[in-house]
Amino acid sequence: MKFYLGTTSKLKLSAVEEVLKNYVADYEILAFNSPSGVPITPWNEEIIKGARNRAENLRKKFLDNDGVYVGLESGLVERFGSVYEETWCVIIFREKEFSAYSSGLRLPSEIVEKIRQGIPHSDIMDEISRKFNSSPKDTWGLYTKFKLTRKCEIKEAFRNALVMMLTCEQASII
């Protein structure tokens, strides 16, 4: 099974491969830079839109009827009066879409306050990452003192969408 992944990020590639080892016997991952078409820090519906755009751009480019097109996008979502970071995954397989997301990690109130003051989330994470000598992209790691990492967030979203695809395909309910 060929998986077209809409990113060349080593972290996302590694996360996808770790999940596939548990669910698919024979697979190949082909990673390509696929534009999301959303801001650097997508909010709310922009997150799934970015994941969908990445998967759809690959589908249009490669036209492989048996290919599995994967888009992943992380961002911020506001729910129940709090802001959470989560990752969305959209898989397009045989003209059907399977989407799922990770659990959300609630942002600390002082981070949300800075965002509401107009400071970009990416700038805030750059500043925090310098203190910990870490990647500013590992927001989950920085927020949890590395008890959780961004990789677990990515794996969870991809796993959830993949299981939906495999379950529906194997049960022939689609």
Side-chain angles (χ1 to χ4, degrees):
M1 195 171 247
K2 278 188 184 176
F3 286 81
Y4 295 87
L5 181 59
T7 180
T8 56
S9 159
K10 290 180 183 179
L11 176 67
K12 289 180 180 178
L13 180 60
S14 173
V16 165
E17 186 159 28
E18 285 180 26
V19 171
L20 285 173
K21 285 179 182 178
N22 291 316
Y23 294 94
V24 179
D26 187 26
Y27 62 88
E28 178 181 8
I29 304 171
L30 303 161
F32 299 92
N33 192 12
S34 181
S36 70
V38 297
I40 190 166
T41 303
W43 277 80
N44 299 320
E45 293 83 12
E46 292 173 336
I47 308 167
I48 190 171
K49 180 180 179 184
R52 183 177 292 121
N53 287 346
R54 290 180 192 276
E56 185 62 30
N57 289 335
L58 290 172
R59 187 189 66 76
K60 288 177 182 175
K61 182 176 181 175
F62 293 102
L63 302 173
D64 179 347
N65 290 333
D66 289 321
V68 180
Y69 302 98
V70 180
L72 290 159
E73 191 71 36
S74 298
L76 303 178
V77 63
E78 198 158 0
R79 289 193 184 119
F80 313 110
S82 296
V83 177
Y84 298 84
E85 179 171 312
E86 60 190 33
T87 294
W88 274 83
C89 179
V90 171
I91 293 176
I92 299 173
F93 179 61
R94 297 188 178 150
E95 302 300 321
K96 292 178 177 55
E97 180 181 303
F98 303 90
S99 61
Y101 59 97
S102 68
S103 54
L105 188 67
R106 185 171 169 250
L107 272 65
S109 58
E110 52 273 8
I111 301 292
V112 175
E113 189 174 313
K114 288 181 179 184
I115 292 170
R116 298 217 191 280
Q117 292 171 1
I119 301 170
H121 185 243
S122 58
D123 290 355
I124 297 166
M125 297 318 299
D126 284 343
E127 181 183 328
I128 293 171
S129 68
R130 283 192 291 274
K131 292 178 187 175
F132 290 98
N133 195 28
S134 175
S135 168
K137 291 186 175 185
D138 193 354
T139 50
W140 277 36
L142 291 166
Y143 292 146
T144 66
K145 297 185 180 175
F146 300 95
K147 301 226 183 299
L148 296 173
T149 65
R150 186 166 179 239
K151 189 176 195 177
C152 74
E153 169 189 15
I154 295 163
K155 286 172 63 173
E156 186 177 17
F158 176 64
R159 181 208 62 211
N160 293 349
L162 178 68
V163 167
M164 290 303 300
M165 183 199 89
L166 294 173
T167 302
C168 289
E169 183 64 21
Q170 291 168 354
S172 298
I173 62 172
I174 58 173

